[in-house]
Amino acid sequence: GAAGCVATLLHDAAMNPAEVVKQRMQMYNSPYQRVTDCVRTVWRNEGAGAFYRSYTTQLTMNIPFQAIHFMTYEFLQEQLNPHRQYNPGSHVVSGACAGAVAAAATTPLDVCKTLLNTQESLALSSNISGHITGMANAFRTVYQVGGVTAYFRGVQARVIYQMPSTAIAWSVYEFFKYILTKRQEERRAGK
């Protein structure tokens, strides 16, 4: 558990600036044509902190995502594959469902993270300070702009994105675990 938390902390610290740039370039009517233009403009106009404005939200989203993801996978494996044998079908189904559940459950956090990263103009105009900082401010702003349903905008796309990703990841993990375990057993039997 501790290793997973540390890995998430380091991964998100390295990837958060890239996520900020990606989201700003994906915005409707984005003023950026190239990654370098986006990085320079954000750095110049908002400072280095803009690349980490959503870092705590990213962590707040990724830690629960991974916890839900792993617990759901393990639960489904207990149901579909109680003897824990190598079974590609159960690994694909469990992985896809685990990703779907985790993605759906953490969508409100992803919506707030996206708002923090993009500083989207409609939300900014409803915000008193004209600048969204921190998760609590993002949660309030999302609610002001669209109510409870706004927390789940894009949930279908997020689930559809995560299902194949987690299905593939678990299938590959289980395959290599099977191969490595089989080799170890063969070496022991050969001695």
Side-chain angles (χ1 to χ4, degrees):
C5 288
V6 171
T8 299
L9 287 167
L10 296 174
H11 171 271
D12 290 356
M15 294 307 297
N16 209 82
E19 182 75 6
V20 169
V21 171
K22 176 187 75 84
Q23 289 178 343
R24 288 187 183 220
M25 292 188 74
Q26 288 176 331
M27 287 174 22
Y28 181 72
N29 285 332
S30 175
Y32 310 110
Q33 297 300 313
R34 295 188 315 237
V35 170
T36 53
D37 293 338
C38 183
V39 170
R40 270 194 298 265
T41 303
V42 171
W43 183 276
R44 185 177 50 247
N45 295 342
E46 300 176 52
F51 294 105
Y52 288 95
R53 188 177 292 125
S54 65
Y55 180 62
T56 55
T57 303
Q58 183 84 1
L59 291 176
T60 304
M61 178 182 68
N62 284 345
I63 290 171
F65 178 92
Q66 292 301 341
I68 293 166
H69 175 206
F70 277 81
M71 289 187 308
T72 303
Y73 181 80
E74 289 298 322
F75 172 79
L76 290 172
Q77 281 297 286
E78 279 296 317
Q79 304 305 308
L80 300 174
N81 189 8
H83 300 294
R84 297 299 178 119
Q85 296 175 340
Y86 178 65
N87 181 332
S90 77
H91 304 317
V92 167
V93 170
S94 296
C97 291
V101 170
T106 58
T107 294
L109 296 166
D110 192 41
V111 167
C112 292
K113 177 198 70 162
T114 300
L115 178 59
L116 285 167
N117 282 346
T118 61
Q119 298 290 304
E120 203 253 324
S121 60
L122 173 63
L124 287 177
S125 66
S126 72
N127 191 286
I128 295 168
S129 70
H131 193 72
I132 299 164
T133 57
M135 188 168 43
N137 189 223
F139 265 97
R140 280 190 301 275
T141 304
V142 168
Y143 184 77
Q144 288 170 348
V145 170
V148 173
T149 58
Y151 293 116
F152 292 94
R153 289 197 66 196
V155 69
Q156 289 175 328
R158 185 165 155 75
V159 166
I160 290 168
Y161 171 81
Q162 286 296 336
M163 287 180 75
S165 173
T166 52
I168 292 166
W170 280 111
S171 298
V172 170
Y173 168 78
E174 294 287 358
F175 173 75
F176 279 101
K177 185 171 96 173
Y178 170 73
I179 295 296
L180 293 172
T181 303
K182 187 176 175 183
R183 281 189 185 163
Q184 284 180 335
E185 289 172 1
E186 288 171 355
R187 283 186 201 145
R188 287 184 192 136
K191 287 185 176 181

